Amino acid sequence: MRVADRMKSMSPRRIGAASLLAMLAATTGCLDLRTTPDACTVTVAPTTLTLRVNGSAPIVGTAFDCNGNSIRNKRISYSSANSAVANVTIEGTVIAVGVGSTSVSAVADGKTASVQVTVTPEAATAVTISPTTLTLRKTNTRQLTATARNNQNLVITGRTFRWSSSNSAIVAIDQNGQVTALAPGQVVIAAEADQAVGNATIIVTEIPIGSCSLAPVSSKVTVSQSVQPTLTLRDTANNILPSLGRSIVWSSSNEVVATVTQSGLATTRRAGTATITASPAENPQITCSTSVEAVDPRITQVVITPRTGSLRLGIPRGFGAALLDSTSNLVPAGRITTWSTNTPTVVQVTQAGIVTGISLGTARIIASSEGVADTVTLQVTQIPVGSIAVTPLQAAIFEGQTVQIRATVKDSVGTEVTDRPIEWLTSDPLRATVSNTGLVTAISAGTVNVGATTEGRLAQSTVVIQQVPADTILVGGSFTVNRGATSAFEMVVRDAAGNRLLGRNVIVTSDFPNIAIGQPNTQGTLVTVSGIALGEATLTLQAVDANGRSQGKRSTVRVTVQAPPTGGLRSSVNPPTP
């Protein structure tokens, strides 16, 4: 019904009131005469909300009329679709109850708007671990419990914790909170949730030793040998415990007989019996022992060293003898070893094992002790040559002469020796020969290296051989040759001692080369004359050395060139005049 219609039905005395109501309706923009119009729409803010358990937050619902104007003082009702997740007060405060999602609705005049509410687990502000301190023996395990609390110190359930150990080599922990004791020591275990951390202290101790034993319970060894007993540790339940990392105190009842290291190695020193005892440092009342008997070893083998090689004549060489027992171990010092030889003409041996070769040959040395002996055969040889030298290093002689080269041989220790065979060599046996005593004989001019060698060593001397100077040239006093023909006469070159010299250089000159000329042969025995023109000419013969210098006296030959006979040309050789 419209307001105007209602006003027509009112009595006159009520017109004033009706006018007042109409004015109020016009002011509110609604034709309804009630104080709060019906809601056309409802909104709620915020539209989504996330809370932790036990957290709260307000929501605000607003009703609007059909013209889109908000309606003041409109009653809004609030409700939760799942009160196990979130509740809401009549004032619109949402309270988180449990983890999950739900919707909270705002309702007015049948019109609804909703808020999507997500509830997450409650944040922990503190974490505690139970127990806070714990002592475990190595290898033990224990379950720890972590508890998360909120800022009201209330327990928060359903939390997942991250577990860690400050030293996982001492105590390991899994992500369920179970710890395992691995080694003695102290660690801090941490449990963390929502960045809140709780700690617990774990102390790990060794498993207490209940008893120990050594094996073998007794042993018998020769003096200077060692024995390592095996230590076995057991706990009070007779379970075997590892000895690694345990401090064990070792001792010997008689250190004159046997000593023991802190690793349990017992070494015998002299014949007798000693008790070796082991005791854990953590519980000295627990002890275990083994008996060690040491006996003097019986010599079963003598071994001479070295066993190979040779002796140099006159040079001493030391040998040793190892004494071994039946276990092939060295017998301790103090036993007497006797040295001897069954070839005293070849070697001498002292009781200290010093052997000296006194003559070349094969020798045998013997080392014996307590009825056991060993022998070694040795060859006595000369001391090797160390060097060889020759004198003179250089020598100059004439053809046909000799020179003595001497060799000096020294052994490897620098002593001159004269009993070594020396081989003599010449680099050119056609120029010079050398005897097995080093005598060099010159044959023809030139340079020869003469070497002396022994035992691979070599020394050389250089011998320069010079020609014997020519002294005279014997030729005939006169010689006739036909014109246009050639003829030869013999010449003999001799030294000052009258010995004939061959192969010498001779220069032939002519005072009238237009009449006759002469040419010597390379052997120095003939001169070929060529007749050129009728007449007489004088040929002069001069011997020269390799450098072209004149040697000895000159000789001349008077040559007559005659007309050839009617029978033709002839060649001839005239002997020299004696």
Side-chain angles (χ1 to χ4, degrees):
M1 180 183 295
R2 292 182 298 176
V3 174
D5 294 337
R6 294 186 65 187
M7 289 181 66
K8 289 180 181 181
S9 63
M10 291 182 182
S11 62
R13 62 179 183 179
R14 296 182 65 185
I15 293 176
S19 299
L20 179 61
L21 290 174
M23 290 170 29
L24 290 173
T27 303
T28 59
C30 181
L31 298 179
D32 196 341
L33 296 179
R34 292 175 298 175
T35 57
T36 56
D38 290 339
C40 276
T41 60
V42 174
T43 64
V44 65
T47 58
T48 61
L49 187 62
T50 299
L51 297 173
R52 290 184 180 273
V53 173
N54 293 327
S56 64
I59 61 175
V60 177
T62 305
F64 294 88
D65 61 19
C66 295
N67 295 322
N69 299 313
S70 61
I71 304 173
R72 294 184 181 180
N73 300 321
K74 189 68 173 178
R75 180 180 179 82
I76 305 296
S77 297
Y78 297 97
S79 64
S80 172
N82 189 346
S83 59
V85 176
N87 284 328
V88 62
T89 67
I90 59 175
E91 294 85 6
T93 299
V94 179
I95 300 172
V97 177
V99 176
S101 296
T102 188
S103 62
V104 175
S105 300
V107 181
D109 297 334
K111 303 298 187 292
T112 303
S114 62
V115 176
Q116 189 66 31
V117 178
T118 301
V119 179
T120 61
E122 186 176 10
T125 59
V127 174
T128 59
I129 298 177
S130 177
T132 57
T133 60
L134 182 64
T135 299
L136 297 176
R137 290 178 180 174
K138 190 169 69 172
T139 73
N140 284 358
T141 62
R142 184 67 60 86
Q143 181 66 51
L144 301 183
T145 302
T147 302
R149 295 178 182 273
N150 62 15
N151 54 7
Q152 286 82 37
N153 202 33
L154 298 176
V155 175
I156 303 173
T157 60
R159 306 319 301 269
T160 299
F161 298 93
R162 289 173 292 278
W163 294 89
S164 62
S165 170
S166 63
N167 190 337
S168 57
I170 296 176
V171 175
I173 186 166
D174 63 18
Q175 290 308 303
N176 294 318
Q178 179 170 282
V179 295
T180 301
L182 301 176
Q186 179 174 316
V187 300
V188 174
I189 299 298
E192 186 266 335
D194 297 333
Q195 298 184 346
V197 180
N199 294 326
T201 301
I202 308 296
I203 299 172
V204 181
T205 62
E206 281 282 8
I207 302 173
I209 299 173
S211 64
C212 72
S213 61
L214 290 177
V217 295
S218 64
S219 55
K220 185 176 183 179
V221 296
T222 57
V223 172
S224 78
Q225 284 188 315
S226 299
V227 60
Q228 177 72 65
T230 300
L231 173 67
T232 301
L233 302 178
R234 296 179 181 271
D235 61 17
T236 54
N238 205 35
N239 297 312
I240 294 178
L241 298 174
S243 59
L244 183 64
R246 302 275 188 168
S247 178
I248 306 298
V249 178
W250 295 83
S251 61
S252 171
S253 64
N254 190 344
E255 292 193 348
V256 175
V257 174
T259 59
V260 64
T261 67
Q262 287 311 300
S263 63
L265 181 66
T267 303
T268 57
R269 303 175 63 183
R270 59 174 296 178
T273 302
T275 299
I276 304 301
T277 301
S279 177
E282 62 194 73
N283 192 351
Q285 289 75 27
I286 298 174
T287 60
C288 46
S289 61
T290 181
S291 175
V292 177
E293 181 183 359
V295 297
D296 285 327
R298 182 175 63 85
I299 298 173
T300 60
Q301 188 178 6
V302 178
V303 179
I304 297 175
T305 55
R307 306 191 63 78
T308 60
S310 60
L311 289 175
R312 299 301 186 188
L313 186 66
I315 299 180
R317 183 180 182 185
F319 288 80
L323 308 181
L324 306 179
D325 61 19
S326 58
T327 61
S328 297
N329 291 312
L330 285 173
V331 174
R335 306 297 180 91
I336 297 175
T337 301
T338 302
W339 292 88
S340 61
T341 177
N342 57 5
T343 53
T345 59
V346 181
V347 295
Q348 293 177 342
V349 58
T350 70
Q351 291 309 303
I354 306 300
V355 182
T356 304
I358 57 177
S359 65
L360 300 179
T362 302
R364 176 179 293 178
I365 59 173
I366 305 167
S368 60
S369 181
E370 300 180 10
V372 182
D374 185 27
T375 64
V376 169
T377 299
L378 301 170
Q379 194 71 28
V380 181
T381 62
Q382 293 175 323
I383 302 174
V385 171
S387 65
I388 183 172
V390 293
T391 55
L393 291 176
Q394 291 184 338
I397 57 176
F398 290 108
E399 294 171 329
Q401 289 185 333
T402 61
V403 62
Q404 180 65 52
I405 307 297
R406 289 180 170 79
T408 301
V409 180
K410 293 185 178 181
D411 59 24
S412 58
V413 295
T415 302
E416 184 176 345
V417 292
T418 58
D419 58 345
R420 308 304 164 90
I422 299 174
E423 181 182 2
W424 292 90
L425 307 169
T426 174
S427 62
D428 189 349
L430 296 179
R431 292 187 183 275
T433 60
V434 60
S435 70
N436 56 8
T437 62
L439 181 66
V440 179
T441 301
I443 298 175
S444 62
T447 299
V448 177
N449 291 325
V450 176
T453 179
T454 180
E455 294 184 17
R457 307 291 181 177
L458 173 67
Q460 294 187 93
S461 175
T462 300
V463 179
V464 178
I465 302 173
Q466 301 173 348
Q467 289 182 329
V468 176
D471 183 65
T472 58
I473 301 176
L474 300 180
V475 293
S478 61
F479 181 70
T480 301
V481 62
N482 295 328
R483 184 188 62 186
T486 60
S487 184
F489 62 84
E490 186 179 0
M491 65 177 175
V492 176
V493 181
R494 297 184 182 275
D495 60 16
N499 299 311
R500 184 172 184 175
L501 304 176
L502 300 175
R504 296 308 177 92
N505 294 328
V506 176
I507 298 175
V508 179
T509 59
S510 173
D511 59 349
F512 292 104
N514 58 335
I515 295 176
I517 58 174
Q519 179 65 40
N521 65 357
T522 56
Q523 290 78 25
T525 57
L526 294 175
V527 177
T528 300
V529 180
S530 298
I532 299 172
L534 299 177
E536 291 185 350
T538 300
L539 300 180
T540 302
L541 285 71
Q542 176 67 61
V544 296
D545 60 17
N547 296 319
R549 293 173 296 195
S550 299
Q551 287 184 343
K553 307 176 186 66
R554 296 180 179 180
S555 296
T556 59
V557 175
R558 188 67 178 173
V559 176
T560 301
V561 179
Q562 62 185 5
T566 58
L569 300 176
R570 291 184 301 171
S571 297
S572 63
V573 176
N574 289 350
T577 302

